[in-house]
Amino acid sequence: MNKAVTYRKKINASTQNLSDVREFVSRHAEKHGFTSRQVADVQLAVDEACTNIIKHAYNYDASKELSIELEFDDEKMNVTLTDQGMGFDVERYKKPDLKKQIARKKRGGMGVYLIRNLMDEVNYYAESRENVLRMIKNRN
Amino acid sequence: MKNFKIDHRITNGFEVLDLYGELDAHTASQLEDALKELINNKKSTIIVNFRELDYIASAGLGVFMAYIEDVRSIGGDIKLTNMNDKVYNVFDLLGFPTLYDIFRDEEEAVEKFLNEIK
């Protein structure tokens, strides 16, 4: 088995950096042989997770930072997002009731559902003032 | 950074918004402003053409959720057309096709509006 390869990126917690994050994810995932569908899935999952961190963990405070780590091995891609903000509940991942939300003109609540759907494994934990979100996309 | 852009045109008397680029939590407010402007001007028969849209995140879908009731309550609708497979997949995952008219082609949306007005 080949040694795992890791890439890291740090961004400020601003939505204007989301496109850079997507580019970072797709560039490396493509290079490591993931299909275009898999790349699209991971791109969206990481975008949704970063958006949640910017919005909920940091409340749009762009002076704060979050880090993204991509690790590739023969079987999978491991994505780890780390922030130092308020934790948020990724366990609530019921499919949003669109009809109800539309009637109440409510939006949101879709990100976590998408993340759970697009990735093969999702784990979240808080450790010594850090929130860590680990997501796995298998090659097969 | 890839830009997001919206063009506005009128076809057969219906308002058409053409979306370009990538729609995410950063660019969604532009779409929100464009829809708000139409609604404030009592324009309620709206077609959103996704032909040149490469990417959408849930923040983009949220805009359609927030305004569809306003538009329908004044007798109109927002019809969505020309999505690529990647973009359609996100709408599909979240169950939009049962609650929104999504068409392969803009022409079909025009026809549906014309039938509804009859």
Side-chain angles (χ1 to χ4, degrees):
Chain A
M1 188 177 128
N2 294 320
K3 216 176 148 238
V5 188
T6 307
Y7 305 90
R8 288 187 188 86
K9 185 178 178 70
K10 222 174 215 177
I11 61 157
N12 282 90
S14 163
T15 53
Q16 67 181 5
N17 295 321
L18 290 170
S19 59
D20 279 353
V21 171
R22 293 195 296 271
E23 191 274 328
F24 171 73
V25 169
S26 64
R27 178 161 38 97
H28 293 301
E30 276 165 17
K31 193 172 64 193
H32 284 272
F34 281 80
T35 66
S36 59
R37 177 63 189 264
Q38 289 171 326
V39 173
D41 287 354
V42 179
Q43 230 183 3
L44 180 56
V46 175
D47 177 323
E48 297 289 344
C50 288
T51 299
N52 274 345
I53 292 170
I54 292 166
K55 219 165 139 180
H56 302 297
Y58 287 140
N59 197 20
Y60 298 103
D61 179 352
S63 68
K64 299 290 200 297
E65 283 183 335
L66 69 105
S67 70
I68 302 134
E69 189 185 290
L70 311 176
E71 189 189 279
F72 296 89
D73 63 30
D74 291 347
E75 278 118 43
K76 64 188 182 300
M77 170 178 180
N78 238 313
V79 183
T80 308
L81 302 183
T82 312
D83 69 82
Q84 286 82 38
M86 298 266 292
F88 63 92
D89 190 0
V90 290
E91 299 305 322
R92 286 184 301 129
Y93 63 95
K94 262 182 35 196
K95 187 170 183 170
D97 187 335
L98 219 55
K99 215 172 172 175
K100 250 190 215 159
Q101 285 195 221
I102 288 170
R104 294 180 191 154
K105 292 182 193 173
K106 264 187 72 181
R107 57 181 116 179
M110 296 180 282
V112 173
Y113 175 77
L114 284 175
I115 293 166
R116 294 266 174 192
N117 237 278
L118 298 166
M119 302 300 281
D120 293 306
E121 220 178 285
V122 180
N123 290 297
Y124 173 80
Y125 51 91
E127 55 176 29
S128 63
R129 274 186 268 163
E130 271 192 346
N131 306 307
V132 181
L133 179 66
R134 278 228 162 95
M135 307 185 278
I136 291 173
K137 189 74 175 175
N138 295 321
R139 289 184 186 274
N140 295 307
Chain B
M1 180 177 137
K2 260 198 189 169
N3 276 331
F4 174 70
K5 196 180 83 158
I6 306 176
D7 279 345
H8 177 208
R9 64 189 156 88
I10 293 169
T11 183
N12 295 292
F14 305 120
E15 310 294 320
V16 183
L17 297 178
D18 290 302
L19 310 186
Y20 299 83
E22 301 187 345
L23 183 53
D24 63 11
H26 191 63
T27 55
S29 60
Q30 291 179 52
L31 173 62
E32 185 155 3
D33 292 344
L35 279 177
K36 261 198 253 174
E37 201 186 317
L38 290 178
I39 296 164
N40 288 343
N41 291 316
K42 303 276 179 266
K43 309 283 189 199
S44 64
T45 44
I46 303 165
I47 297 169
V48 181
N49 189 317
F50 288 71
R51 187 180 292 123
E52 301 297 330
L53 193 83
D54 303 319
Y55 174 85
I56 193 161
S58 70
L61 278 72
V63 177
F64 295 109
M65 290 169 68
Y67 291 99
I68 192 77
E69 274 301 291
D70 290 343
V71 172
R72 286 179 181 163
S73 70
I74 51 171
D77 196 18
I78 304 173
K79 301 194 192 297
L80 315 174
T81 76
N82 300 79
M83 292 179 188
N84 69 33
D85 290 348
K86 203 175 89 174
V87 168
Y88 179 78
N89 184 43
V90 186
F91 279 91
D92 192 34
L93 267 177
L94 291 164
F96 273 65
T98 56
L99 295 166
Y100 291 76
D101 276 340
I102 303 179
F103 297 106
R104 221 166 259 287
D105 207 75
E106 191 182 303
E107 281 298 303
E108 297 171 61
V110 170
E111 234 165 79
K112 183 83 189 285
F113 266 137
L114 289 171
N115 283 329
E116 285 168 357
I117 289 165
K118 264 181 203 165

